[in-house]
Amino acid sequence: MSIDGWIKQLVDGKRLYLIESPFMSDHHSRTLLVSKEIHDLVNPPWPNTRAEVRFSKLRADLENFACGGEMSVCTEPFQGREEDLAVLDPKEDGVWDLRSRNPSPGLRIIGQFADRDVFFGAVLATRSKPESGLRGPLGAKDSEQWKSAISDCRKTFNGLFNPAFSAVAGGRIEDVLSERYH
Amino acid sequence: MSSVNDIIKHELFHLDELSRGTRAYFQARTRNRLYDLAMTKFRERRDSEGLTQADVARRMGKRPEVVNRIFSGPGNWRADTLSDLLLAIAGEEIDATSGSPLMKPPTNRRALDRDADGRPFKPPTQNRDEARKGKATEKKELDSSFSFANA
């Protein structure tokens, strides 16, 4: 079975959720899949207007990724601060975090690429500030929170894609995105 | 429950009071588009003329680390930032235009060509006045399923 067929099966079975723009005019050049947890966060109802604003912006950022928006990328673990996408340690495992920094709290979506331009976001956490109802903060680079988030991401990915497909390993940007990155 | 897609489309189509979520969504969308515009220009000039971030920093009169942060994302951009950036990258200014995303011609869709209820979404063909006339009836029908604006 092709990766597209596999994904369709998972989406149809509601084990994965596609993030797409609501507008037919938007061209989708990447596939962004998320866990139910993340899907529920970017869809109503929200508990308050603060959550409504934060997760509406997160949704726009995720759609931007799916629609081939320009990504600033850091391919060295612990070196990225402002980038949209950064590889996590150890680089060889191919675990990445996709970031939505504005407004506070900054959010990280930890996931892996099932194929080039096909990202599965498994875990969402705040980077620095605690937030009621959300995982995190991830804290310092070697924190238990980071380790646990990465471990959960890998377990979730493997549960959905293995043994048919493995995550793209190696941490090289050209292996995971085909265009529009720097 | 309406999906966020339905809600955004509904608010945009009927030009009713916009919820904070819809406004936030389009603020981020606009910011991402402006970032795309500047980075595309930079990529073009880099590939054709060998332009570097250091060149852009020099032209903008800013330290390289400041420009590096600007290039990393549009989080703190203001209109002035974009103006300076386009000027430094390509000697260009913004040629602004706007349009409803509901009215633009469709492009490809990867998988979900349907709304939350499984119906294919068709861009509306009504103009703004017609939309306002039809608003009262359709709003009544949809109000019962709204949770976004009142959350």
Side-chain angles (χ1 to χ4, degrees), chain A residues 45-88:
Chain A
W46 290 292
N48 51 52
T49 51
R50 186 160 170 266
E52 178 182 342
V53 167
R54 185 64 193 91
F55 292 118
S56 294
K57 291 205 173 194
L58 171 64
R59 185 180 180 93
D61 288 341
L62 296 179
E63 288 176 10
N64 180 56
F65 176 88
C67 291
E70 178 80 21
M71 291 285 119
S72 55
V73 179
C74 179
T75 53
E76 287 305 320
F78 309 130
Q79 299 302 309
R81 292 185 60 194
E82 308 277 343
E83 286 78 3
D84 298 311
L85 182 67
V87 73
L88 300 176

mmCIF file of all heavy atoms in Angstrom, chain A residues 45-88:
data_model
loop_
_atom_site.group_PDB
_atom_site.id
_atom_site.type_symbol
_atom_site.label_atom_id
_atom_site.label_comp_id
_atom_site.label_asym_id
_atom_site.label_seq_id
_atom_site.Cartn_x
_atom_site.Cartn_y
_atom_site.Cartn_z
ATOM 1 N N PRO A 45 -15.491 23.570 20.580
ATOM 2 C CA PRO A 45 -15.566 24.794 21.390
ATOM 3 C C PRO A 45 -14.298 25.002 22.197
ATOM 4 O O PRO A 45 -13.615 24.035 22.544
ATOM 5 C CB PRO A 45 -16.747 24.497 22.320
ATOM 6 C CG PRO A 45 -16.719 23.007 22.487
ATOM 7 C CD PRO A 45 -16.232 22.450 21.196
ATOM 8 N N TRP A 46 -14.016 26.274 22.474
ATOM 9 C CA TRP A 46 -12.887 26.610 23.336
ATOM 10 C C TRP A 46 -13.420 27.116 24.664
ATOM 11 O O TRP A 46 -14.517 27.705 24.707
ATOM 12 C CB TRP A 46 -12.024 27.684 22.663
ATOM 13 C CG TRP A 46 -11.290 27.146 21.475
ATOM 14 C CD1 TRP A 46 -10.285 26.241 21.466
ATOM 15 C CD2 TRP A 46 -11.534 27.467 20.096
ATOM 16 N NE1 TRP A 46 -9.877 25.976 20.170
ATOM 17 C CE2 TRP A 46 -10.609 26.716 19.314
ATOM 18 C CE3 TRP A 46 -12.407 28.322 19.440
ATOM 19 C CZ2 TRP A 46 -10.567 26.790 17.919
ATOM 20 C CZ3 TRP A 46 -12.362 28.393 18.063
ATOM 21 C CH2 TRP A 46 -11.446 27.633 17.308
ATOM 22 N N PRO A 47 -12.648 26.941 25.738
ATOM 23 C CA PRO A 47 -13.172 27.308 27.053
ATOM 24 C C PRO A 47 -13.291 28.807 27.272
ATOM 25 O O PRO A 47 -14.064 29.251 28.112
ATOM 26 C CB PRO A 47 -12.152 26.698 28.013
ATOM 27 C CG PRO A 47 -10.900 26.534 27.220
ATOM 28 C CD PRO A 47 -11.344 26.289 25.809
ATOM 29 N N ASN A 48 -12.508 29.603 26.556
ATOM 30 C CA ASN A 48 -12.554 31.049 26.761
ATOM 31 C C ASN A 48 -11.969 31.745 25.541
ATOM 32 O O ASN A 48 -11.423 31.093 24.643
ATOM 33 C CB ASN A 48 -11.773 31.447 28.026
ATOM 34 C CG ASN A 48 -10.375 30.831 28.017
ATOM 35 O OD1 ASN A 48 -9.636 30.969 27.048
ATOM 36 N ND2 ASN A 48 -10.018 30.132 29.092
ATOM 37 N N THR A 49 -12.068 33.080 25.507
ATOM 38 C CA THR A 49 -11.625 33.814 24.317
ATOM 39 C C THR A 49 -10.102 33.767 24.158
ATOM 40 O O THR A 49 -9.601 33.824 23.045
ATOM 41 C CB THR A 49 -12.075 35.288 24.363
ATOM 42 O OG1 THR A 49 -11.700 35.833 25.612
ATOM 43 C CG2 THR A 49 -13.567 35.410 24.167
ATOM 44 N N ARG A 50 -9.394 33.630 25.239
ATOM 45 C CA ARG A 50 -7.926 33.541 25.152
ATOM 46 C C ARG A 50 -7.542 32.273 24.387
ATOM 47 O O ARG A 50 -6.687 32.297 23.500
ATOM 48 C CB ARG A 50 -7.328 33.528 26.557
ATOM 49 C CG ARG A 50 -5.827 33.574 26.564
ATOM 50 C CD ARG A 50 -5.298 34.042 27.906
ATOM 51 N NE ARG A 50 -3.869 33.845 27.934
ATOM 52 C CZ ARG A 50 -3.284 32.763 28.427
ATOM 53 N NH1 ARG A 50 -4.007 31.797 28.941
ATOM 54 N NH2 ARG A 50 -1.964 32.649 28.401
ATOM 55 N N ALA A 51 -8.191 31.181 24.725
ATOM 56 C CA ALA A 51 -7.925 29.925 24.023
ATOM 57 C C ALA A 51 -8.387 30.027 22.567
ATOM 58 O O ALA A 51 -7.718 29.531 21.653
ATOM 59 C CB ALA A 51 -8.634 28.787 24.728
ATOM 60 N N GLU A 52 -9.496 30.694 22.364
ATOM 61 C CA GLU A 52 -10.026 30.856 21.005
ATOM 62 C C GLU A 52 -9.011 31.585 20.110
ATOM 63 O O GLU A 52 -8.721 31.154 18.995
ATOM 64 C CB GLU A 52 -11.333 31.644 21.074
ATOM 65 C CG GLU A 52 -11.959 31.932 19.724
ATOM 66 C CD GLU A 52 -13.242 32.778 19.847
ATOM 67 O OE1 GLU A 52 -13.816 32.837 20.941
ATOM 68 O OE2 GLU A 52 -13.639 33.359 18.837
ATOM 69 N N VAL A 53 -8.451 32.666 20.649
ATOM 70 C CA VAL A 53 -7.471 33.445 19.883
ATOM 71 C C VAL A 53 -6.190 32.633 19.668
ATOM 72 O O VAL A 53 -5.686 32.523 18.548
ATOM 73 C CB VAL A 53 -7.155 34.779 20.613
ATOM 74 C CG1 VAL A 53 -5.930 35.452 20.025
ATOM 75 C CG2 VAL A 53 -8.360 35.709 20.535
ATOM 76 N N ARG A 54 -5.705 32.012 20.741
ATOM 77 C CA ARG A 54 -4.423 31.298 20.631
ATOM 78 C C ARG A 54 -4.508 30.139 19.639
ATOM 79 O O ARG A 54 -3.628 29.933 18.799
ATOM 80 C CB ARG A 54 -3.969 30.772 22.005
ATOM 81 C CG ARG A 54 -2.581 30.131 21.959
ATOM 82 C CD ARG A 54 -1.553 31.174 21.600
ATOM 83 N NE ARG A 54 -0.236 30.661 21.230
ATOM 84 C CZ ARG A 54 0.129 30.370 19.987
ATOM 85 N NH1 ARG A 54 -0.724 30.461 18.977
ATOM 86 N NH2 ARG A 54 1.367 29.974 19.718
ATOM 87 N N PHE A 55 -5.587 29.374 19.739
ATOM 88 C CA PHE A 55 -5.660 28.190 18.889
ATOM 89 C C PHE A 55 -6.121 28.517 17.471
ATOM 90 O O PHE A 55 -5.858 27.746 16.550
ATOM 91 C CB PHE A 55 -6.510 27.115 19.560
ATOM 92 C CG PHE A 55 -5.839 26.559 20.780
ATOM 93 C CD1 PHE A 55 -6.408 26.681 22.029
ATOM 94 C CD2 PHE A 55 -4.586 25.956 20.676
ATOM 95 C CE1 PHE A 55 -5.755 26.204 23.153
ATOM 96 C CE2 PHE A 55 -3.929 25.477 21.795
ATOM 97 C CZ PHE A 55 -4.514 25.601 23.037
ATOM 98 N N SER A 56 -6.778 29.662 17.293
ATOM 99 C CA SER A 56 -7.095 30.089 15.923
ATOM 100 C C SER A 56 -5.801 30.479 15.203
ATOM 101 O O SER A 56 -5.628 30.221 14.018
ATOM 102 C CB SER A 56 -8.069 31.264 15.939
ATOM 103 O OG SER A 56 -9.310 30.838 16.458
ATOM 104 N N LYS A 57 -4.896 31.114 15.956
ATOM 105 C CA LYS A 57 -3.598 31.459 15.345
ATOM 106 C C LYS A 57 -2.769 30.209 15.097
ATOM 107 O O LYS A 57 -2.074 30.106 14.077
ATOM 108 C CB LYS A 57 -2.837 32.451 16.227
ATOM 109 C CG LYS A 57 -3.497 33.815 16.241
ATOM 110 C CD LYS A 57 -2.538 34.948 16.561
ATOM 111 C CE LYS A 57 -3.262 36.283 16.382
ATOM 112 N NZ LYS A 57 -2.397 37.432 16.338
ATOM 113 N N LEU A 58 -2.840 29.279 16.020
ATOM 114 C CA LEU A 58 -2.122 28.015 15.798
ATOM 115 C C LEU A 58 -2.658 27.347 14.534
ATOM 116 O O LEU A 58 -1.896 26.851 13.704
ATOM 117 C CB LEU A 58 -2.294 27.082 16.996
ATOM 118 C CG LEU A 58 -1.776 25.654 16.800
ATOM 119 C CD1 LEU A 58 -0.261 25.639 16.581
ATOM 120 C CD2 LEU A 58 -2.139 24.770 17.994
ATOM 121 N N ARG A 59 -3.962 27.341 14.378
ATOM 122 C CA ARG A 59 -4.558 26.717 13.201
ATOM 123 C C ARG A 59 -4.040 27.379 11.918
ATOM 124 O O ARG A 59 -3.686 26.710 10.955
ATOM 125 C CB ARG A 59 -6.078 26.818 13.267
ATOM 126 C CG ARG A 59 -6.718 26.089 12.132
ATOM 127 C CD ARG A 59 -8.215 26.140 12.114
ATOM 128 N NE ARG A 59 -8.673 25.381 10.958
ATOM 129 C CZ ARG A 59 -8.991 24.097 10.992
ATOM 130 N NH1 ARG A 59 -8.944 23.442 12.107
ATOM 131 N NH2 ARG A 59 -9.359 23.481 9.890
ATOM 132 N N ALA A 60 -3.995 28.726 11.921
ATOM 133 C CA ALA A 60 -3.490 29.438 10.744
ATOM 134 C C ALA A 60 -2.034 29.060 10.467
ATOM 135 O O ALA A 60 -1.632 28.883 9.312
ATOM 136 C CB ALA A 60 -3.614 30.942 10.946
ATOM 137 N N ASP A 61 -1.244 28.906 11.514
ATOM 138 C CA ASP A 61 0.163 28.513 11.338
ATOM 139 C C ASP A 61 0.276 27.091 10.786
ATOM 140 O O ASP A 61 1.135 26.806 9.948
ATOM 141 C CB ASP A 61 0.925 28.623 12.669
ATOM 142 C CG ASP A 61 1.164 30.071 13.082
ATOM 143 O OD1 ASP A 61 1.082 30.964 12.213
ATOM 144 O OD2 ASP A 61 1.418 30.319 14.272
ATOM 145 N N LEU A 62 -0.584 26.221 11.259
ATOM 146 C CA LEU A 62 -0.545 24.833 10.757
ATOM 147 C C LEU A 62 -0.976 24.783 9.293
ATOM 148 O O LEU A 62 -0.381 24.081 8.466
ATOM 149 C CB LEU A 62 -1.437 23.933 11.615
ATOM 150 C CG LEU A 62 -1.015 23.766 13.082
ATOM 151 C CD1 LEU A 62 -1.995 22.862 13.815
ATOM 152 C CD2 LEU A 62 0.397 23.213 13.193
ATOM 153 N N GLU A 63 -2.005 25.523 8.977
ATOM 154 C CA GLU A 63 -2.453 25.566 7.577
ATOM 155 C C GLU A 63 -1.371 26.162 6.679
ATOM 156 O O GLU A 63 -1.209 25.752 5.531
ATOM 157 C CB GLU A 63 -3.739 26.385 7.458
ATOM 158 C CG GLU A 63 -4.959 25.688 8.027
ATOM 159 C CD GLU A 63 -6.205 26.546 7.990
ATOM 160 O OE1 GLU A 63 -6.184 27.620 7.350
ATOM 161 O OE2 GLU A 63 -7.198 26.160 8.604
ATOM 162 N N ASN A 64 -0.652 27.134 7.228
ATOM 163 C CA ASN A 64 0.440 27.721 6.467
ATOM 164 C C ASN A 64 1.481 26.674 6.105
ATOM 165 O O ASN A 64 1.990 26.639 4.979
ATOM 166 C CB ASN A 64 1.077 28.856 7.282
ATOM 167 C CG ASN A 64 2.229 29.513 6.557
ATOM 168 O OD1 ASN A 64 2.077 29.992 5.443
ATOM 169 N ND2 ASN A 64 3.402 29.525 7.183
ATOM 170 N N PHE A 65 1.770 25.803 7.034
ATOM 171 C CA PHE A 65 2.701 24.704 6.739
ATOM 172 C C PHE A 65 2.123 23.820 5.634
ATOM 173 O O PHE A 65 2.796 23.509 4.649
ATOM 174 C CB PHE A 65 2.946 23.871 8.004
ATOM 175 C CG PHE A 65 3.820 22.661 7.753
ATOM 176 C CD1 PHE A 65 5.206 22.754 7.832
ATOM 177 C CD2 PHE A 65 3.258 21.439 7.434
ATOM 178 C CE1 PHE A 65 6.006 21.640 7.582
ATOM 179 C CE2 PHE A 65 4.045 20.314 7.184
ATOM 180 C CZ PHE A 65 5.422 20.421 7.259
ATOM 181 N N ALA A 66 0.853 23.430 5.781
ATOM 182 C CA ALA A 66 0.228 22.528 4.800
ATOM 183 C C ALA A 66 0.172 23.164 3.417
ATOM 184 O O ALA A 66 0.286 22.479 2.397
ATOM 185 C CB ALA A 66 -1.172 22.144 5.265
ATOM 186 N N CYS A 67 0.015 24.465 3.382
ATOM 187 C CA CYS A 67 -0.108 25.161 2.106
ATOM 188 C C CYS A 67 1.259 25.560 1.541
ATOM 189 O O CYS A 67 1.343 26.382 0.625
ATOM 190 C CB CYS A 67 -1.002 26.382 2.251
ATOM 191 S SG CYS A 67 -2.721 25.921 2.541
ATOM 192 N N GLY A 68 2.296 24.994 2.076
ATOM 193 C CA GLY A 68 3.631 25.216 1.509
ATOM 194 C C GLY A 68 4.267 26.526 1.899
ATOM 195 O O GLY A 68 5.136 27.036 1.190
ATOM 196 N N GLY A 69 3.841 27.103 3.025
ATOM 197 C CA GLY A 69 4.427 28.366 3.470
ATOM 198 C C GLY A 69 5.917 28.230 3.743
ATOM 199 O O GLY A 69 6.406 27.160 4.093
ATOM 200 N N GLU A 70 6.614 29.353 3.584
ATOM 201 C CA GLU A 70 8.058 29.372 3.821
ATOM 202 C C GLU A 70 8.367 28.979 5.269
ATOM 203 O O GLU A 70 7.739 29.482 6.199
ATOM 204 C CB GLU A 70 8.588 30.788 3.550
ATOM 205 C CG GLU A 70 10.058 30.974 3.790
ATOM 206 C CD GLU A 70 10.918 30.457 2.633
ATOM 207 O OE1 GLU A 70 10.403 30.324 1.509
ATOM 208 O OE2 GLU A 70 12.117 30.202 2.879
ATOM 209 N N MET A 71 9.324 28.087 5.446
ATOM 210 C CA MET A 71 9.713 27.635 6.777
ATOM 211 C C MET A 71 11.157 28.009 7.053
ATOM 212 O O MET A 71 12.044 27.681 6.248
ATOM 213 C CB MET A 71 9.616 26.102 6.868
ATOM 214 C CG MET A 71 8.216 25.529 6.825
ATOM 215 S SD MET A 71 7.328 25.766 8.378
ATOM 216 C CE MET A 71 5.959 26.749 7.780
ATOM 217 N N SER A 72 11.378 28.671 8.166
ATOM 218 C CA SER A 72 12.761 28.826 8.618
ATOM 219 C C SER A 72 13.072 27.578 9.439
ATOM 220 O O SER A 72 12.245 27.138 10.237
ATOM 221 C CB SER A 72 12.937 30.099 9.438
ATOM 222 O OG SER A 72 12.040 30.128 10.510
ATOM 223 N N VAL A 73 14.249 27.022 9.194
ATOM 224 C CA VAL A 73 14.546 25.691 9.737
ATOM 225 C C VAL A 73 15.882 25.690 10.465
ATOM 226 O O VAL A 73 16.846 26.320 10.017
ATOM 227 C CB VAL A 73 14.609 24.663 8.574
ATOM 228 C CG1 VAL A 73 14.941 23.278 9.096
ATOM 229 C CG2 VAL A 73 13.280 24.622 7.827
ATOM 230 N N CYS A 74 15.920 24.972 11.582
ATOM 231 C CA CYS A 74 17.189 24.745 12.274
ATOM 232 C C CYS A 74 17.478 23.243 12.252
ATOM 233 O O CYS A 74 16.659 22.454 12.736
ATOM 234 C CB CYS A 74 17.126 25.248 13.707
ATOM 235 S SG CYS A 74 18.679 24.953 14.572
ATOM 236 N N THR A 75 18.613 22.856 11.709
ATOM 237 C CA THR A 75 18.936 21.432 11.588
ATOM 238 C C THR A 75 20.008 20.988 12.572
ATOM 239 O O THR A 75 20.573 19.906 12.438
ATOM 240 C CB THR A 75 19.386 21.093 10.151
ATOM 241 O OG1 THR A 75 20.441 21.972 9.794
ATOM 242 C CG2 THR A 75 18.238 21.236 9.170
ATOM 243 N N GLU A 76 20.285 21.829 13.559
ATOM 244 C CA GLU A 76 21.192 21.430 14.635
ATOM 245 C C GLU A 76 20.442 21.482 15.960
ATOM 246 O O GLU A 76 19.969 22.543 16.356
ATOM 247 C CB GLU A 76 22.416 22.353 14.697
ATOM 248 C CG GLU A 76 23.400 22.138 13.562
ATOM 249 C CD GLU A 76 23.874 20.688 13.447
ATOM 250 O OE1 GLU A 76 24.118 20.055 14.488
ATOM 251 O OE2 GLU A 76 23.973 20.190 12.313
ATOM 252 N N PRO A 77 20.319 20.355 16.645
ATOM 253 C CA PRO A 77 19.592 20.350 17.918
ATOM 254 C C PRO A 77 20.130 21.401 18.892
ATOM 255 O O PRO A 77 21.339 21.643 18.944
ATOM 256 C CB PRO A 77 19.846 18.938 18.465
ATOM 257 C CG PRO A 77 20.122 18.114 17.265
ATOM 258 C CD PRO A 77 20.824 19.020 16.296
ATOM 259 N N PHE A 78 19.229 22.033 19.595
ATOM 260 C CA PHE A 78 19.509 23.035 20.637
ATOM 261 C C PHE A 78 19.996 24.379 20.080
ATOM 262 O O PHE A 78 20.254 25.291 20.852
ATOM 263 C CB PHE A 78 20.557 22.532 21.653
ATOM 264 C CG PHE A 78 20.251 21.174 22.220
ATOM 265 C CD1 PHE A 78 21.212 20.180 22.223
ATOM 266 C CD2 PHE A 78 19.000 20.892 22.744
ATOM 267 C CE1 PHE A 78 20.941 18.924 22.750
ATOM 268 C CE2 PHE A 78 18.714 19.640 23.269
ATOM 269 C CZ PHE A 78 19.683 18.648 23.278
ATOM 270 N N GLN A 79 20.116 24.511 18.757
ATOM 271 C CA GLN A 79 20.626 25.768 18.222
ATOM 272 C C GLN A 79 19.512 26.727 17.798
ATOM 273 O O GLN A 79 19.715 27.918 17.698
ATOM 274 C CB GLN A 79 21.530 25.492 16.997
ATOM 275 C CG GLN A 79 22.757 24.651 17.301
ATOM 276 C CD GLN A 79 23.644 25.267 18.361
ATOM 277 O OE1 GLN A 79 24.007 26.426 18.273
ATOM 278 N NE2 GLN A 79 23.961 24.491 19.389
ATOM 279 N N GLY A 80 18.333 26.175 17.506
ATOM 280 C CA GLY A 80 17.259 27.010 16.982
ATOM 281 C C GLY A 80 16.529 27.760 18.073
ATOM 282 O O GLY A 80 16.209 27.188 19.115
ATOM 283 N N ARG A 81 16.264 29.029 17.835
ATOM 284 C CA ARG A 81 15.492 29.797 18.811
ATOM 285 C C ARG A 81 14.230 30.360 18.159
ATOM 286 O O ARG A 81 13.142 30.248 18.696
ATOM 287 C CB ARG A 81 16.330 30.941 19.369
ATOM 288 C CG ARG A 81 17.485 30.434 20.222
ATOM 289 C CD ARG A 81 18.216 31.574 20.861
ATOM 290 N NE ARG A 81 17.351 32.359 21.726
ATOM 291 C CZ ARG A 81 17.647 33.550 22.196
ATOM 292 N NH1 ARG A 81 18.776 34.115 21.867
ATOM 293 N NH2 ARG A 81 16.816 34.192 22.976
ATOM 294 N N GLU A 82 14.396 30.944 16.999
ATOM 295 C CA GLU A 82 13.278 31.648 16.376
ATOM 296 C C GLU A 82 12.686 30.886 15.202
ATOM 297 O O GLU A 82 11.696 31.316 14.627
ATOM 298 C CB GLU A 82 13.775 33.015 15.858
ATOM 299 C CG GLU A 82 14.509 33.858 16.881
ATOM 300 C CD GLU A 82 13.554 34.644 17.768
ATOM 301 O OE1 GLU A 82 12.392 34.771 17.389
ATOM 302 O OE2 GLU A 82 13.994 35.106 18.836
ATOM 303 N N GLU A 83 13.286 29.761 14.816
ATOM 304 C CA GLU A 83 12.866 29.090 13.589
ATOM 305 C C GLU A 83 11.477 28.450 13.716
ATOM 306 O O GLU A 83 11.016 28.165 14.809
ATOM 307 C CB GLU A 83 13.885 28.016 13.188
ATOM 308 C CG GLU A 83 15.171 28.564 12.605
ATOM 309 C CD GLU A 83 16.133 29.107 13.646
ATOM 310 O OE1 GLU A 83 15.826 29.007 14.859
ATOM 311 O OE2 GLU A 83 17.187 29.638 13.250
ATOM 312 N N ASP A 84 10.878 28.210 12.543
ATOM 313 C CA ASP A 84 9.550 27.587 12.504
ATOM 314 C C ASP A 84 9.619 26.079 12.736
ATOM 315 O O ASP A 84 8.664 25.476 13.218
ATOM 316 C CB ASP A 84 8.907 27.798 11.124
ATOM 317 C CG ASP A 84 8.705 29.256 10.805
ATOM 318 O OD1 ASP A 84 8.164 29.973 11.659
ATOM 319 O OD2 ASP A 84 9.078 29.688 9.691
ATOM 320 N N LEU A 85 10.716 25.490 12.324
ATOM 321 C CA LEU A 85 10.843 24.034 12.386
ATOM 322 C C LEU A 85 12.274 23.705 12.820
ATOM 323 O O LEU A 85 13.227 24.280 12.285
ATOM 324 C CB LEU A 85 10.581 23.459 10.980
ATOM 325 C CG LEU A 85 10.619 21.952 10.793
ATOM 326 C CD1 LEU A 85 9.451 21.280 11.531
ATOM 327 C CD2 LEU A 85 10.530 21.591 9.304
ATOM 328 N N ALA A 86 12.399 22.806 13.777
ATOM 329 C CA ALA A 86 13.743 22.480 14.252
ATOM 330 C C ALA A 86 13.844 20.999 14.569
ATOM 331 O O ALA A 86 12.891 20.395 15.090
ATOM 332 C CB ALA A 86 14.082 23.301 15.500
ATOM 333 N N VAL A 87 15.002 20.431 14.259
ATOM 334 C CA VAL A 87 15.214 19.022 14.570
ATOM 335 C C VAL A 87 15.591 18.892 16.046
ATOM 336 O O VAL A 87 16.237 19.774 16.613
ATOM 337 C CB VAL A 87 16.296 18.417 13.642
ATOM 338 C CG1 VAL A 87 17.689 18.922 14.015
ATOM 339 C CG2 VAL A 87 16.253 16.896 13.667
ATOM 340 N N LEU A 88 15.146 17.796 16.657
ATOM 341 C CA LEU A 88 15.414 17.576 18.079
ATOM 342 C C LEU A 88 16.525 16.548 18.256
ATOM 343 O O LEU A 88 16.866 15.811 17.332
ATOM 344 C CB LEU A 88 14.134 17.109 18.781
ATOM 345 C CG LEU A 88 12.959 18.096 18.698
ATOM 346 C CD1 LEU A 88 11.711 17.502 19.334
ATOM 347 C CD2 LEU A 88 13.305 19.421 19.371
#
